[in-house]
């Protein structure tokens, strides 16, 4: 194993973070169908263990990432906090190589937290047609794929974990979704398969040219020619754009979010989309930096197009979950804009934007699901006057919407504001224009979210809202409370994310721009 001749605590924690949800999924699947609640409890326990194990991955860290570049004599140029490097398939030189650093750690904790909250939520509410035990098992399998993607330091292993989420997420949407769930699930699968093929070809191009799949060794691009980097970056960028999703490859997202059950929407928006933007940073930019520099302007234009188009479409939406789904297109546009600048400020904006979006949009989908379950409709026209009949629910919805529009002091502010700042700092006619347009998109974000609050919470109660009970269940508060606190904590103390990511981001930028 990496990090020494013996096995240390950090390596055990690293493996346990991925292994616990896998074991939990197997045990839940083995529980007889008549003991459905027992299966959900077992799954929630294993999700809680995975969350608890992921936390000290930071506390027991080593020296941290020090630089990026080709492996040479002496100590390796990249030192993850913890690393596991085992021979997997000797004949093909495949390795089971996992590691965690300041770029991946916040996403790992976010994944384990949201999965725990979703599993706990099923203890109170299981969507039709029931079978909550199976739903929890699928959520745990999805968690394995997402965590493995964030922790993999081998390109082939990264690809395999990247693909693990496809079938279980398809099953979650198709099995527990709305009336058009099969159409939405099929669309999700087709788009994702398209991205997977591109990712596989990109991995093949890089591994064949460099003779290694080790992301640590490949970071900085010194093993690859310029032509190889341009080709590989194009493939990677398209593949990750589908998963994020980034405009104009986003059309699967609104259907998937609208039809998915509440817990499916939370996982999908909260962490599954982050696999794409994380891949852009770790693989596309890190492994093929010349390709990133070559395409930076195009990425910036597409990012701003996503911000503007997503906001304008949201202004025309009349369904609650669909509006929140389209808002993700705009928010992820800010993340892409930060990445496209290839600056430390931009990449840190992208990373904190990823975390903020996961927290806030996860909370929004929890609340939208609660409103829809109570009122039996998601039409904005049928949800007026919510604050009169369910003031607590309306208040939480208002908090989440204000956090999402980027109010200073809440989590949504930092990523979007500093993505604009990063574009303006790059300077020149193109980036200055992109920065200004992105700021205009931020104003449009405020417009559609305030419109949402006016339509849903203000006025006289609509007939569908008059029968709502004013109280909130204890399980709901337990599931939503941590996200509310995180939105406040990250907004007030952005160093919770930026302080962890600062050194590896700076090292990555130095490797990309040299």
């Amino acid at each position: 194993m990496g990090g020494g001749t013996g096995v240390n605590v950090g390596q055990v924690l690293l493996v346990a973070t991925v292994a616990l949800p896998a074991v939990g999924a197997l045990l839940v699947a083995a529980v007889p169908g008549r003991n459905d609640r027992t299966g959900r409890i077992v799954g929630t326990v294993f999700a809680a263990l995975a969350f608890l194990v992921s936390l000290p991955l930071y506390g027991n860290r080593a020296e941290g990432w020090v630089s990026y570049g080709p492996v040479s004599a002496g100590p390796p140029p990249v030192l993850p906090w913890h690393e596991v490097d085992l021979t997997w398939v000797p004949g093909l030189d495949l390795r089971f190589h996992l590691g965690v650093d300041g770029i991946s750690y916040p996403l790992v904790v976010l994944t384990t937290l949201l999965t725990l909250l979703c599993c706990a939520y099923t203890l109170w509410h299981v969507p039709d047609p029931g079978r909550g035990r199976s739903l929890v098992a699928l959520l745990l399998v999805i968690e394995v794929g997402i965590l493995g993607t964030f922790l993999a330091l081998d390109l082939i292993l990264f690809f395999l974990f990247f693909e693990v989420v496809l079938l279980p997420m398809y099953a979650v949407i198709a099995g527990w979704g709305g009336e058009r769930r099969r159409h939405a699930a099929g669309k999700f699968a087709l788009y994702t398969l398209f991205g997977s093929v591109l990712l596989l070809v990109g991995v093949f191009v890089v591994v064949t040219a460099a003779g290694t799949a080790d992301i640590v060794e490949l970071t900085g691009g010194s093993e690859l020619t310029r032509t190889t980097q341009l080709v590989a970056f194009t493939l990677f960028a398209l593949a990750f754009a589908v998963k994020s999703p980034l405009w104009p490859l986003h059309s699967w997202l609104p259907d998937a979010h609208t039809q998915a059950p509440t817990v499916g929407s939370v996982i999908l928006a909260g962490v599954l989309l982050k696999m794409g933007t994380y891949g852009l940073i770790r693989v596309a930019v890190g492994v093929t930096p010349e390709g990133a520099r070559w395409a930076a302007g195009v990425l910036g234009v597409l990012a701003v197009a996503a911000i503007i188009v997503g906001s304008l479409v949201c202004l025309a939406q009349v369904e609650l979950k669909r509006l929140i789904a389209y808002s993700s297109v705009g928010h992820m546009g800010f993340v892409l804009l930060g990445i496209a600048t290839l600056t430390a400020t931009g990449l840190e904006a992208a990373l904190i934007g990823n975390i903020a979006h996961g927290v806030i949009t996860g909370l929004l989908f929890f609340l939208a699901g609660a409103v829809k379950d109570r009122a039996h409709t998601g039409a904005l026209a049928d949800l007026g006057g919510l604050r009169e009949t369910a003031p607590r629910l309306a208040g939480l919805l208002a908090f989440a919407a204000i956090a999402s529009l980027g109010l200073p002091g809440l989590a949504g502010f930092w990523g979007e504001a500093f993505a604009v700042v990063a574009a303006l700092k790059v300077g020149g006619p193109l980036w200055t224009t992109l920065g200004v347009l992105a700021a205009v998109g931020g104003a449009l974000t405020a417009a559609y979210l305030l419109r949402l609050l006016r339509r849903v919470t203000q006025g006289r109660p609509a007939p569908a809202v008059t029968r709502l009970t004013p109280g909130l269940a204890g399980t709901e508060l337990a599931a939503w409370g941590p996200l509310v606190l995180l939105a406040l904590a990250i907004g007030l103390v952005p160093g919770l994310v930026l302080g962890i990511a600062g050194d590896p981001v700076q090292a990555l930028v130095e490797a990309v721009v040299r």
Side-chain angles (χ1 to χ4, degrees):
M1 291 193 179
T5 56
V7 178
N8 60 42
V9 174
Q11 292 169 339
V12 174
L13 293 173
L14 192 61
V15 173
T17 301
V18 179
L20 281 170
V23 173
L26 292 174
L27 292 178
V28 171
V31 174
R34 62 180 179 276
N35 298 325
D36 189 80
R37 182 171 177 80
T38 300
R40 284 179 275 146
I41 293 173
V42 170
T44 303
V45 168
F46 272 87
L49 291 174
F51 171 66
L52 293 175
V53 166
S54 71
L55 293 176
L57 284 174
Y58 176 77
N60 292 328
R61 65 195 181 100
E63 292 298 320
W65 298 73
V66 293
S67 65
Y68 288 87
V71 174
S72 57
V78 181
L79 297 176
W81 297 345
H82 307 294
E83 184 178 16
V84 174
D85 190 0
L86 300 172
T87 300
W88 183 22
V89 184
L92 298 176
D93 194 29
L94 300 183
R95 306 194 66 81
F96 187 79
H97 192 184
L98 301 177
V100 62
D101 75 328
I103 294 175
S104 57
Y105 175 76
L107 291 168
V108 169
V109 174
L110 179 65
T111 301
T112 56
L113 173 63
L114 285 181
T115 305
L116 169 59
L117 298 181
C118 287
C119 290
Y121 191 75
T122 65
L123 298 178
W124 174 78
H125 175 75
V126 178
D128 293 332
R131 306 194 312 274
R133 172 183 61 92
S134 300
L135 177 59
V136 168
L138 289 170
L139 292 176
L140 291 173
V141 175
I142 293 170
E143 182 182 19
V144 172
I146 297 173
L147 289 173
T149 300
F150 294 150
L151 295 174
L153 291 179
D154 181 277
L155 270 181
I156 296 175
L157 187 65
F158 176 92
F159 171 77
L160 293 176
F161 275 123
F162 200 86
E163 297 311 301
V164 166
V165 303
L166 172 58
L167 290 179
M169 182 53 74
Y170 172 90
V172 168
I173 299 171
W176 289 269
E179 295 180 357
R180 303 187 70 241
R181 58 185 180 272
R182 296 198 180 278
H183 169 77
K187 198 171 182 179
F188 164 78
L190 286 175
Y191 270 81
T192 303
L193 282 173
F194 170 70
S196 299
V197 171
L198 295 176
L199 178 59
L200 178 60
V201 176
V203 169
F204 177 79
V205 168
V206 170
V207 173
T208 301
T212 179
D214 193 322
I215 295 176
V216 172
E217 185 173 348
L218 289 168
T219 299
S222 59
E223 304 290 327
L224 303 171
T225 65
R226 173 178 169 80
T227 300
T228 300
Q229 289 196 44
L230 299 187
V231 172
F233 181 85
T234 301
L235 293 167
F236 287 145
L238 288 172
F240 296 135
V242 171
K243 182 71 77 174
S244 295
L246 301 173
W247 184 88
L249 300 173
H250 68 286
S251 61
W252 63 266
L253 179 67
D255 290 333
H257 271 318
T258 304
Q259 298 301 317
T262 297
V263 292
S265 294
V266 171
I267 292 295
L268 186 60
V271 284
L272 195 144
L273 303 187
K274 311 305 178 288
M275 294 167 63
T277 49
Y278 173 82
L280 275 173
I281 296 172
R282 178 73 82 197
V283 177
V285 173
V287 174
T288 57
E290 287 198 51
R293 292 193 294 270
W294 165 71
V298 175
L299 292 181
V301 171
L302 292 176
V304 171
I307 295 168
I308 300 296
V309 172
S311 298
L312 292 176
V313 172
C314 283
L315 283 170
Q317 290 304 306
V318 296
E319 206 279 336
L320 181 59
K321 287 186 71 175
R322 200 168 184 86
L323 186 152
I324 299 171
Y326 270 112
S327 75
S328 293
V329 176
H331 289 308
M332 300 312 287
F334 280 102
V335 172
L336 177 60
L337 179 63
I339 296 172
T341 64
L342 301 180
T343 64
T345 301
L347 289 177
E348 290 191 12
L351 291 172
I352 196 170
N354 263 338
I355 300 301
H357 179 264
V359 170
I360 297 169
T361 306
L363 177 59
L364 277 171
F365 273 114
F366 265 133
L367 296 170
V371 170
K372 198 168 182 178
D373 289 338
R374 286 167 164 80
H376 305 292
T377 179
L380 298 183
D382 297 333
L383 294 175
L386 185 66
R387 71 172 186 171
E388 302 296 330
T389 57
R392 296 177 185 177
L393 187 57
L396 283 172
L397 182 63
F399 171 85
I402 291 172
S404 184
L405 64 82
L407 186 74
L410 296 175
F413 169 75
W414 299 103
E416 299 187 2
F418 281 96
V420 174
V421 169
L424 295 175
K425 285 176 66 176
V426 173
L430 174 62
W431 289 99
T432 301
T433 302
L434 293 179
V436 171
L437 290 176
V440 172
L444 292 174
T445 301
Y448 71 71
L449 287 169
L450 292 175
R451 169 182 171 269
L452 164 68
L453 292 179
R454 181 180 64 82
R455 295 286 296 273
V456 174
T457 64
Q458 306 300 307
R460 301 182 58 161
V465 174
T466 55
R467 57 176 176 264
L468 266 63
T469 56
L472 298 174
T475 308
E476 289 178 319
L477 293 175
W480 305 342
L483 300 180
V484 172
L485 294 176
L486 273 177
L488 281 168
I490 296 172
L492 296 173
V493 191
L496 291 173
V497 176
L498 299 180
I500 295 173
D503 290 341
V505 164
Q506 186 60 47
L508 179 60
V509 170
E510 291 174 1
V512 169
V513 300
R514 66 187 176 192

